[in-house]
Amino acid sequence: MDGVHDLGGMHGMGPVEPEENEPVFHADWEKRMFAMNNAITAIGVRNIDESRHARERMNPGAYLTSSYYEIWLDGLVRVLCEKGLISEAELSGDVAPRPVSSPKPALKAADVDALMDKGGNYVAEKGKPPRFRVGSKVRTRNIHPSGHTRLPRYARGHVGEIVADYGLHVFPDASAEGKSDPQPLYNVRFASTELWGPDGTEGDFIYIDLWDDYLEAVDDAA
Amino acid sequence: MTSKHKHGDPLPETVLRVKSLESLLIEKGLVEADALDALIDRYENKVGPKNGAKVVARAWVDADFRKRLLADATLAVAEFGYSGAQGEELIALENTDDVHNVVVCTLCSCYPWPVLGLPPVWYKSEPYRARVVREPRKVLEEFGTSLPESTEIRVWDSTAETRYLVVPKRPVGTEGMSEEELADLVNRDSMIGTRLADTPAMVKEA
């Protein structure tokens, strides 16, 4: 979706403001929010792309004025409501919590380190054969899907070169809808001046991880 | 963008809503409070940029390890016991006299947790995500990092589950320092690419 989250290249955001000796968390509620979002992953009710797509659909004005853990709060409530696990009425206390079941049991404290040390798996053994090779020139497609995508707006319709083939990976656009559609994931190198024209910098480059479906062949002879 | 609100001064209803959500998820049996505590402890006290600093210092002193790190960072950091969530497919990018790498996630907040822990607020902020892909030199200058025009800047936008770790240049005048001493020079931002590694003089002052 052409959402507010897709920030690459936007003007008017002001300076970057690093904080000296920044703590890992700024308040208790941030800790709880961080932990809930990760603990929910363990029950197998939503994948990483569904989680991202939920956050992307936050009200755009609210997104820009919220801290990152506020965005996580909005996204987690949204996706759990959509999955039927909780409701706004339950959250506000207007109705009593209704019992639910989840694909996997709640995460136990004793299992936290093992689970986080293991992480997820986004690699697939079977999927679409690669259409491109390292060294291929490609053009990113000019697409504007209303659903989830990981092709940033600033990189659409531009020519780059494949510099790495990372192999078959779950396709986020499908994964956000509960499907998989595994296909090759590449790293693509774009000249700064290709993406930003005369406002780019000659000799600088932007490297972006892009899936096969985002790309089309460029005829070198043309 | 008023940073005050965004840096941990939330509306009271946010705090209340987070509490309500936790109570509701616990009551429904979807999360357990002890597990939340363990997750917080892990990322507040165990997994952070000190991990990455040890990896970088090893790469500076051990040519074989450096080779393994650049060939397959996931395997190489596993030698230290670092692995897992938000770092399943790790790639190390080496800064040199000719090339300077800097990492961003323009679409959300992707960051190599096993080696750097959780990202700082600025990394997730709109200004950094909007600007570093378009004007990296200006952004780096705001971090106090000036690079010669002849240095090629490479900005890596983490759009997939691949996670990038920058290996900063080893500062001059550090010959003879031990691996442990060198690790103290590797600040978090140097492994994102917005700063250089500290010099021994900087560490003494601090």
Side-chain angles (χ1 to χ4, degrees):
Chain A
M1 63 183 286
D2 290 355
V4 67
H5 67 287
D6 187 357
L7 288 159
M10 283 181 75
H11 284 104
M13 295 298 173
V16 181
E17 295 179 325
E19 181 185 339
E20 282 292 316
N21 303 315
E22 181 177 338
V24 177
F25 299 103
H26 290 79
D28 272 345
W29 72 270
E30 290 191 351
K31 299 181 189 182
R32 307 313 288 180
M33 193 57 239
F34 165 78
M36 277 191 279
N37 205 51
N38 281 278
I40 284 293
T41 301
I43 67 170
V45 73
R46 58 102 172 90
N47 65 43
I48 194 164
D49 293 298
E50 290 171 311
S51 174
R52 289 190 182 121
H53 192 43
R55 298 202 286 261
E56 294 163 4
R57 285 177 287 145
M58 187 176 194
N59 174 289
Y63 188 100
L64 290 175
T65 50
S66 297
S67 69
Y68 213 77
Y69 288 117
E70 287 174 308
I71 296 172
W72 278 26
L73 169 63
D74 184 88
L76 186 59
V77 169
R78 183 185 308 276
V79 74
L80 293 179
C81 286
E82 288 173 353
K83 297 280 182 183
L85 287 174
I86 64 169
S87 69
E88 277 295 342
E90 288 173 330
L91 202 49
S92 61
D94 291 342
V95 301
R98 190 174 47 84
V100 290
S101 62
S102 56
K104 293 181 197 166
L107 177 63
K108 303 275 180 206
D111 299 330
V112 162
D113 281 329
L115 180 92
M116 299 310 283
D117 280 345
K118 183 162 178 280
N121 176 39
Y122 312 99
V123 178
E125 291 198 350
K126 287 184 183 169
K128 283 186 185 165
R131 291 186 297 145
F132 309 104
R133 293 184 295 195
V134 170
S136 296
K137 267 194 180 173
V138 290
R139 183 186 299 278
T140 48
R141 293 173 65 206
N142 178 19
I143 51 168
H144 297 269
S146 59
H148 182 64
T149 186
R150 297 292 283 181
L151 172 58
R153 238 176 306 183
Y154 76 87
R156 296 176 192 164
H158 287 292
V159 173
E161 182 186 331
I162 309 258
V163 294
D165 180 345
Y166 293 146
L168 292 171
H169 282 72
V170 169
F171 186 45
D173 305 41
S175 167
E177 292 170 12
K179 298 170 219 158
S180 162
D181 191 15
Q183 52 184 275
L185 172 69
Y186 310 96
N187 187 266
V188 187
R189 162 184 167 111
F190 299 89
S192 168
T193 47
E194 165 69 19
L195 297 180
W196 312 110
D199 295 312
T201 303
E202 201 73 52
D204 287 351
F205 293 87
I206 292 89
Y207 289 71
I208 313 176
D209 292 339
L210 297 172
W211 279 261
D212 199 276
D213 272 11
Y214 296 159
L215 307 172
E216 52 197 25
V218 172
D219 184 359
D220 280 325
Chain B
M1 256 17 63
T2 55
S3 58
K4 192 168 185 320
H5 166 63
K6 295 182 66 111
H7 285 231
D9 184 20
L11 303 169
E13 53 263 39
T14 297
V15 180
L16 199 63
R17 196 165 161 82
V18 170
K19 275 197 179 139
S20 307
L21 180 60
E22 182 176 341
S23 305
L24 182 59
L25 295 180
I26 289 171
E27 186 157 352
K28 288 192 174 230
L30 300 174
V31 304
E32 295 189 1
D34 288 356
L36 301 185
D37 295 339
L39 278 160
I40 294 162
D41 179 51
R42 176 182 168 95
Y43 288 97
E44 201 167 33
N45 302 312
K46 298 178 197 160
V47 180
K50 283 202 159 60
N51 288 6
K54 284 183 192 161
V55 172
V56 169
R58 174 79 48 92
W60 284 348
V61 300
D62 180 339
D64 286 338
F65 178 74
R66 173 181 163 273
K67 229 183 252 174
R68 293 200 294 281
L69 180 67
L70 296 176
D72 187 333
T74 313
L75 277 179
V77 307
E79 295 177 25
F80 290 79
Y82 310 147
S83 67
Q86 298 295 319
E88 294 91 346
E89 298 173 54
L90 194 65
I91 290 181
L93 307 167
E94 187 180 44
N95 285 350
T96 65
D97 288 337
D98 301 323
V99 173
H100 183 94
N101 297 282
V102 57
V103 180
V104 64
C105 172
T106 61
L107 297 174
C108 52
S109 58
C110 298
Y111 192 75
W113 290 8
V115 280
L116 297 190
L118 304 183
V121 167
W122 64 259
Y123 181 87
K124 304 179 277 186
S125 73
E126 288 84 2
Y128 184 71
R129 289 160 57 194
R131 293 180 52 212
V132 78
V133 284
R134 184 166 48 77
E135 47 182 18
R137 284 171 196 271
K138 271 193 192 163
V139 171
L140 293 188
E141 266 168 31
E142 287 170 27
F143 278 86
T145 306
S146 291
L147 297 168
E149 262 180 52
S150 58
T151 301
E152 173 182 321
I153 295 193
R154 297 180 179 175
V155 183
W156 298 76
D157 192 352
S158 315
T159 47
E161 303 322 324
T162 324
R163 294 289 173 274
Y164 295 97
L165 171 73
V166 174
V167 179
K169 274 198 303 178
R170 179 171 173 169
V172 290
T174 56
E175 301 78 11
M177 286 177 72
S178 71
E179 196 176 318
E180 289 72 29
E181 289 169 326
L182 288 167
D184 287 338
L185 304 179
V186 186
N187 64 71
R188 176 198 64 206
D189 295 357
S190 72
M191 295 180 280
I192 303 171
T194 52
R195 287 185 213 268
L196 307 178
D198 295 338
T199 60
M202 286 163 77
V203 170
K204 256 182 215 158
E205 275 169 37

